[in-house]
Amino acid sequence: MITAAIADKNAILKDKIKELKRLYPQTRSVLLPALHAAEDLYGWLGDDALEQVSMLTGVTTAEVKGVVSFYSLFKTKPHGRHVIYLCTNIACLIMGADTLEEYLQKTYRLSNGETTADGRFSLVIMECIGACDRAPAMLVNDDWHFNLTMENIKEILESYK
Ligand code: FES
């Protein structure tokens, strides 16, 4: 059953995608911005959201799901208020990302793909996030944090309530 709130969001998404289609000569090019718009509206990309995007862009649901599964920054399940994207690829690993991951597990009982019991944080372990020269690095929501240490990660995360 579609609630009034979901129906409102579907209508907003329809307008947004209509607007996006004017900016892109090929319909398929609308897909990524349409997915970002859907994620902003619904909070995450569940099956219903993906079907809306498919219907409104004309890209098959299978292709939409393929694109979403390729990009790890898309949220494919409900998440906490703040999402920590911690890089554990080679440069960050050499600079101590594994100890930071252990810190998150011990302090917040947070493992990859999970959300804290209070809904404050979710954790996504990333491959390279393109900040190797300032490793170890993470994103919290859309905020970059570089040169992480056991000392500064605590202060950084405590600023996200
Ligand atoms: S390896 Fe971590 S940002 Fe590149």
Side-chain angles (χ1 to χ4, degrees), residues 87-93 127-133 135-137:
C87 175
T88 59
N89 210 326
I90 191 68
C92 290
L93 189 65
E127 295 303 319
C128 184
I129 57 173
C132 313
D133 59 327

Side-chain angles (χ1 to χ4, degrees), residues 136-156:
M138 70 176 177
L139 282 156
V140 180
N141 306 325
D142 294 328
D143 307 328
W144 290 92
H145 299 283
F146 309 112
N147 303 312
L148 297 171
T149 64
M150 290 295 287
E151 291 73 37
N152 67 19
I153 194 171
K154 179 179 181 183
E155 189 178 329
I156 290 165

Side-chain angles (χ1 to χ4, degrees), residues 4-16:
I6 294 292
D8 287 348
K9 289 179 181 180
N10 289 349
I12 292 169
L13 185 65
K14 183 178 180 181
D15 290 344
K16 181 68 183 171

